């Protein structure tokens, strides 16, 4: 079990999949301030291409995107051996229980409904990154969070 | 923006608190002003000291400290909560973060990690208060209804976006009618009510998430939806939204109600230009005087106020413009011609004047006004602001 003398989330590579350029930019700025290394993908197809060629420690994923939606991206992640365990946070304007359940059933680790604060998102990213060091049974039983 | 970083250190052991406080002060890049207190007084002290950083010492029994962290996250959301502990195992780190800590620092403090954590706080502060040129804020107001405030605000926003390649946001502070979204044929998912209901979470990411995007690229923070009932949105929330939008956009245009309520006054105070709409009828002119008194009381200098005569011309016009300017000493910066047909057609279609009546006198006048406000030469300096009382009719406004 590793200790966390060093920042457990320091330098982690985060893929931000969000087709709204301003929100993507704001999230990217926020993550950079936290010492993380975000990369933006402005659509689902771009996200899948990056996931297949680059290495990420966590994915922040919008659901509603015009080309390939977040559900398809998540399915790709969970069905690809090399990346199937990467933590995923869903971001969505939808907050119906069915959407929440669908996202979590497909394997999302966390779910945030828009609008969300940058501080809340960063907090959740840090928790998920810190939890990587825990045995699987001790990680949080995830639920959606607005 | 202050230079020092007020920091509060909370823990059960006074000796340990003093030692750690001294360490943090020595490490901090900004002048760190560190005060200390017990866990029991934590929330109260955090509020009283207005600490930006609240560091909580976790001891062997971390339960009370974790409970305090949770309270701080809820009741003092503006503070950055650091958890400090001799136990830096993953389990403890995760527990602290789940409670609401934004940083975890192992003890004894590592100078590099501590400095990084403190620098993040100052970086976030700079993000909230950038030193770049603040946005233009154009507050559109009329002392009586029916002058065309929303028509002007909406079309100014569209013209500003089209003319200057600038980022533009339109803020609807007329909470009783909330017409801006209607004028633009928008169906916003979120409104100012969402900001108010989650005010503690407000930051740029949250606020951007509440804005509706018009096809022109103008973003809109809509007023509360119809049927929302009695609206009570604290002025503090309005000010916070204005302050944030100014850091996010190049131009912020504010549609205000005709009442001189808190939100209107906040919009006046934030404005780089107040666009004061009136027609040349007596009720407007009386209201105008009251408005100028209020602006003066708020410290808004006359040169920041542009008087715009609306709905000028036609059979229902008020007194001639010349009479008003000469007799009343009204200094008119701009005139918008009467064109109700175009305005109603635009409203009916939820479209810009430039779309439904391109080249109409009203469209051209608003486009010219936008260019002038963006730094063109359409409003001569001497015609900006000010009302000079003189003449016989000036007695109407005698103090």
């Amino acid at each position: 079990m590793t200790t966390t003398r060093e920042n457990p989330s320091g330098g982690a590579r985060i893929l931000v999949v969000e087709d709204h350029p301003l929100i993507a930019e704001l999230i990217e700025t926020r993550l950079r301030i936290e010492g993380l290394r975000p990369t933006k993908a402005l659509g689902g197809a771009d996200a899948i291409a990056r996931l297949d060629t680059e290495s990420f420690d966590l994915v922040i994923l919008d659901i509603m995107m015009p080309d390939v939606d977040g559900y398809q991206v998540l399915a790709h992640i969970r069905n690809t051996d090399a990346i199937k365990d990467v933590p995923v946070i869903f971001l969505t304007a939808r907050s119906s229980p069915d959407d929440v359940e669908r996202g979590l059933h497909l394997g999302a680790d966390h779910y945030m409904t828009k609008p969300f604060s940058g501080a809340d998102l960063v907090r959740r990213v840090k928790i998920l990154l810190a939890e990587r060091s825990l045995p699987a049974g001790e990680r949080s039983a995830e639920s959606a969070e607005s | 923006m202050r230079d020092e970083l007020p920091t509060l250190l909370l823990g059960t052991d006074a000796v340990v608190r003093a030692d750690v406080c001294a360490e943090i002060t020595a490490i901090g890049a900004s002048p760190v002003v560190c005060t200390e207190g017990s866990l029991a007084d934590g929330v109260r002290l955090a509020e009283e000291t207005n600490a930006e950083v609240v560091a909580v010492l976790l001891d062997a029994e971390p339960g009370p400290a974790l409970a305090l962290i949770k309270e701080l996250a809820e009741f003092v959301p503006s503070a950055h909560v650091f958890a400090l502990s001799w136990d830096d195992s993953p389990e403890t780190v995760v527990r602290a973060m789940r409670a609401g800590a934004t940083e975890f620092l192992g003890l004894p403090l590592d100078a590099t990690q501590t400095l990084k954590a403190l620098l993040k706080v100052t970086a976030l502060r700079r993000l909230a208060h950038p030193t770049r040129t603040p946005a233009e804020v154009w507050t559109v107001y009329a002392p009586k209804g029916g002058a065309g405030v929303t028509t002007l605000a909406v079309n100014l926003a569209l013209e500003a976006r089209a003319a200057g390649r600038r980022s533009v946001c339109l803020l609807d502070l007329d909470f009783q009618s909330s017409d801006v979204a209607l004028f633009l044929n928008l169906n916003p998912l979120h409104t100012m009510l969402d900001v108010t209901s989650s005010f503690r979470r407000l930051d740029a990411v949250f606020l951007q998430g509440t804005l509706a995007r018009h096809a022109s690229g103008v973003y809109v923070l809509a007023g509360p939806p119809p049927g929302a009932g009695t609206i009570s949105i604290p002025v503090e929330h309005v000010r916070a939204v204005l302050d944030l939008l100014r850091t996010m956009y190049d131009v912020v245009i504010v549609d205000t109600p005709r009442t001189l309520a808190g939100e209107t006054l906040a919009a006046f105070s934030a404005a780089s230009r107040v666009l004061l709409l009136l027609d040349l009828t007596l009720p407007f002119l009386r209201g105008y005087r009251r408005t100028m008194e209020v602006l003066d009381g708020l410290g808004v200098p006359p040169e920041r106020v542009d008087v715009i005569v609306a709905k000028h011309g036609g059979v229902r016009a008020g007194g001639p413009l010349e009479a008003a300017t000469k007799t009343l000493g009204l200094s008119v910066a701009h005139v918008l011609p009467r064109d109700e047909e175009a305005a109603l057609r635009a409203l009916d279609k939820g479209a810009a004047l430039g779309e439904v009546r391109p080249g109409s006198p009203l469209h051209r006048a608003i486009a010219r006004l936008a260019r002038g406000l963006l730094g063109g030469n359409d409003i001569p300096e001497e015609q900006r602001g000010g009302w000079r009382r003189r003449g016989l009719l000036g007695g109407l406004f005698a103090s």
Side-chain angles (χ1 to χ4, degrees):
Chain A
M1 185 181 302
T2 58
T3 61
T4 52
R5 165 87 359 211
E6 291 187 8
N7 185 346
S9 55
R13 293 205 63 197
I14 314 291
L15 181 63
V16 180
V17 189
E18 166 62 71
D19 67 330
H20 190 307
L22 285 182
I23 293 183
E25 190 180 318
L26 286 167
I27 292 174
E28 184 187 36
T29 301
R30 194 73 172 78
L31 293 175
R32 282 199 197 286
I33 287 175
E34 294 294 333
L36 301 166
R37 292 186 292 162
T39 299
K40 285 184 297 196
L42 292 179
D46 184 24
I48 288 175
R50 288 180 185 277
L51 284 161
D52 286 346
T53 54
E54 300 171 56
S55 172
F56 296 98
D57 299 295
L58 186 142
V59 178
I60 296 171
L61 180 57
D62 192 14
I63 287 184
M64 297 305 294
M65 292 182 289
D67 55 347
V68 174
D69 69 23
Y71 296 125
Q72 292 173 275
V73 175
L74 180 57
H76 177 79
I77 292 172
R78 294 295 179 240
N79 290 327
T80 304
D81 278 343
I83 55 175
K84 64 183 170 63
D85 294 326
V86 172
V88 176
I89 299 175
F90 259 144
L91 303 177
T92 180
R94 294 181 163 197
S95 57
S96 75
D98 288 345
D99 294 317
V100 172
E101 193 178 332
R102 185 179 173 193
L104 295 175
H105 181 71
L106 282 172
D109 294 88
H110 197 74
Y111 188 105
M112 297 183 80
T113 49
K114 294 175 182 177
F116 53 87
S117 73
D120 284 346
L121 177 61
V122 162
R123 197 175 131 256
R124 183 50 56 180
V125 166
K126 286 181 169 182
I127 289 174
L128 287 175
L129 290 173
E131 284 182 345
R132 289 179 302 174
S133 305
L134 295 179
E138 291 179 34
R139 294 176 196 163
S140 50
E142 275 304 9
S143 59
E145 177 180 289
S146 299
Chain B
M1 192 169 64
R2 53 186 174 178
D3 287 334
E4 75 273 6
L5 191 62
T7 300
L8 177 65
L9 185 74
L10 302 168
T12 50
D13 188 314
V15 171
V16 171
R17 289 198 311 253
D19 285 345
V20 176
C21 221
E23 276 188 79
I24 291 176
T25 305
I27 288 169
S30 281
V32 170
V33 178
C34 187
T35 51
E36 12 147 352
S38 66
L39 296 183
D41 295 327
V43 174
R44 179 182 62 80
L45 285 172
E47 288 171 336
E48 281 175 11
T49 60
N50 217 14
E52 281 188 65
V53 174
V54 180
V56 181
L57 287 163
L58 276 58
D59 51 28
E61 289 294 329
L66 290 171
L68 173 62
I69 288 175
K70 201 169 170 185
E71 275 188 60
L72 289 165
E74 186 180 343
F75 296 111
V76 197
S78 57
H80 299 267
V81 179
F82 291 9
L84 278 52
S85 175
W86 284 271
D87 174 9
D88 59 0
S89 64
E91 290 83 2
T92 303
V93 172
V94 170
R95 282 181 78 189
M97 289 187 153
R98 284 180 187 158
T102 54
E103 292 290 340
F104 183 95
L105 297 171
L107 290 169
L109 289 175
D110 177 283
T112 304
Q113 296 302 323
T114 306
L115 186 58
K116 278 185 184 174
L118 293 172
L119 285 174
K120 276 187 215 173
V121 174
T122 53
L124 286 168
R125 182 205 274 170
R126 276 197 300 278
L127 195 66
H129 302 283
T131 54
R132 74 179 181 103
T133 306
E136 287 282 319
V137 178
W138 304 339
T139 294
V140 188
Y141 173 78
K144 298 285 173 193
V149 167
T150 304
T151 298
L152 178 58
V154 163
N155 284 281
L156 260 185
L158 296 169
E159 293 300 327
R161 172 72 183 162
R165 292 178 180 268
R166 290 168 172 81
S167 59
V168 179
C169 185
L170 185 46
L171 173 59
D172 189 351
L173 291 185
D174 190 347
F175 300 145
Q176 296 311 311
S177 49
S178 297
D179 282 337
V180 167
L182 178 71
F183 273 57
L184 288 169
N185 200 20
L186 284 174
N187 220 353
L189 283 176
H190 306 289
T191 71
M192 187 70 192
L193 270 185
D194 294 281
V195 173
T196 278
S197 64
S198 300
F199 184 66
R200 290 176 186 278
R201 297 159 59 205
L202 181 66
D203 63 13
V205 175
F206 185 95
L207 187 54
Q208 184 61 47
T210 65
L211 304 181
R213 186 182 184 277
H214 184 256
S216 61
V218 170
Y219 282 86
V220 176
L221 179 54
T230 306
I231 309 299
S232 176
I233 294 179
V235 173
E236 171 204 0
H237 295 190
V238 171
R239 284 197 206 105
V241 165
L242 280 164
D243 285 346
L244 253 185
L245 286 177
R246 288 161 75 176
T247 70
M248 296 161 63
Y249 287 87
D250 295 319
V251 181
V252 179
I253 297 170
V254 188
D255 180 17
T256 59
R258 60 189 167 91
T259 56
L260 289 168
E263 55 268 19
T264 308
L265 302 184
F268 282 165
S269 295
S272 48
R273 300 226 65 81
V274 175
L275 306 180
L276 187 35
L277 238 60
L278 54 144
D279 69 27
L280 299 176
T281 58
L282 203 50
F284 271 94
L285 295 174
R286 284 186 190 276
Y288 171 62
R289 185 195 184 215
R290 170 84 182 118
T291 306
M292 293 305 289
E293 285 171 359
V294 167
L295 286 167
D296 184 56
L298 288 173
V300 178
E303 53 270 22
R304 227 192 281 172
V305 181
D306 292 330
V307 174
I308 299 174
V309 171
K311 301 188 175 181
H312 183 64
V315 295
R316 282 179 288 167
L321 183 58
E322 274 182 60
T325 53
K326 282 186 182 166
T327 308
L328 302 174
L330 205 58
S331 180
V332 176
H334 212 84
V335 176
L336 300 180
R338 179 180 296 277
D339 193 348
E340 272 145 351
E341 197 270 333
L344 283 171
R345 189 166 165 77
L347 172 59
D348 186 52
K349 296 220 170 281
L353 273 170
E355 267 181 68
V356 301
R357 282 284 187 268
S360 68
L362 181 57
H363 170 234
R364 288 204 313 267
I366 292 178
R368 214 160 39 236
L369 173 58
R371 286 196 305 274
L373 290 168
L374 288 171
N377 298 318
D378 290 318
I379 301 179
E381 202 59 44
E382 64 270 18
Q383 287 179 8
R384 289 205 171 158
W387 167 73
R388 298 180 308 281
R389 175 167 60 85
R390 64 182 179 153
L392 286 175
L393 285 178
L396 274 173
F397 303 95
S399 54

